[in-house]
């Protein structure tokens, strides 16, 4: 069994932590399991996760109905090897030595599940690529 120090850690950040970052964290947890430490946060978290996002993930067998948006902290960034931002711009803290990726994805806020599905599918594709990259499988 590996310790948490040996597992790569990834932080997903968007403004509200109610859509894109929640989907990305859920896919990485679902696909990589215990091999990766996963966090998500928002620079200005919403009160709840977007219901269309919850529904879109449920369609592919991932339940995030119990998730709640979390506030972005300096500690979360410092504890992560890879920080993936999704439209939070300059509000994301920057620390030298961290690997940053910016994924430009449409914001699912205010969208129905039909509009969320293609965003979900694109996030899944990117997560699969990320797993190959950070796990070296």
């Amino acid at each position: 069994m590996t310790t948490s120090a040996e597992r790569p850690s990834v932080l997903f950040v968007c403004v509200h932590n109610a859509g894109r970052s929640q989907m990305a964290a859920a896919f990485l947890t679902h696909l990589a399991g215990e091999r990766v430490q996963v966090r998500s946060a928002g620079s200005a978290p919403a009160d709840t996760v977007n219901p269309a996002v919850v529904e879109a993930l449920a369609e592919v067998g991932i339940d995030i109905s119990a998730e709640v948006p979390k506030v972005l902290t300096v500690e979360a960034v410092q504890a992560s090897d890879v920080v993936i931002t999704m439209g939070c711009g300059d509000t994301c803290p920057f620390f030298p030595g961290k690997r940053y990726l910016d994924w430009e994805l449409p914001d699912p806020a205010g969208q129905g599940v039909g509009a969320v599905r293609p965003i979900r599918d694109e996030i899944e594709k990117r997560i699969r690529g990320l797993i190959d990259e950070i796990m070296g499988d």
Side-chain angles (χ1 to χ4, degrees):
M1 178 160 163
T2 61
T3 65
S4 61
E6 296 167 339
R7 293 187 299 162
S9 62
V10 179
L11 169 65
F12 296 100
V13 182
C14 65
V15 175
H16 300 300
N17 189 221
R20 294 166 288 188
S21 56
Q22 289 281 353
M23 284 192 280
F27 270 119
L28 185 53
T29 300
H30 181 72
L31 297 170
E34 294 295 315
R35 299 181 298 160
V36 179
Q37 186 176 24
V38 182
R39 297 179 182 87
S40 73
S43 53
D47 293 329
T48 59
V49 174
N50 181 333
V53 167
V54 173
E55 184 178 340
L57 284 175
E59 291 175 352
V60 295
I62 301 174
D63 179 10
I64 64 162
S65 60
E67 292 296 323
V68 294
K70 294 166 280 305
V71 69
L72 177 64
T73 64
V74 168
E75 294 77 20
V77 177
Q78 289 176 320
S80 300
D81 299 312
V82 180
V83 179
I84 299 177
T85 58
M86 303 171 173
C88 68
D90 296 336
T91 60
C92 294
F94 179 83
F95 293 96
K98 300 292 175 196
R99 178 157 176 233
Y100 287 85
L101 300 171
D102 185 47
W103 289 358
E104 290 191 23
L105 295 159
D107 188 345
Q111 305 289 322
V113 72
V116 172
R117 286 184 190 112
I119 303 168
R120 173 201 67 199
D121 296 345
E122 176 62 23
I123 289 173
E124 180 182 11
K125 186 175 91 178
R126 291 183 189 203
I127 292 296
R128 289 182 183 279
L130 178 70
I131 290 170
D132 291 345
E133 192 179 312
I134 65 175
M135 299 307 295
D137 291 349

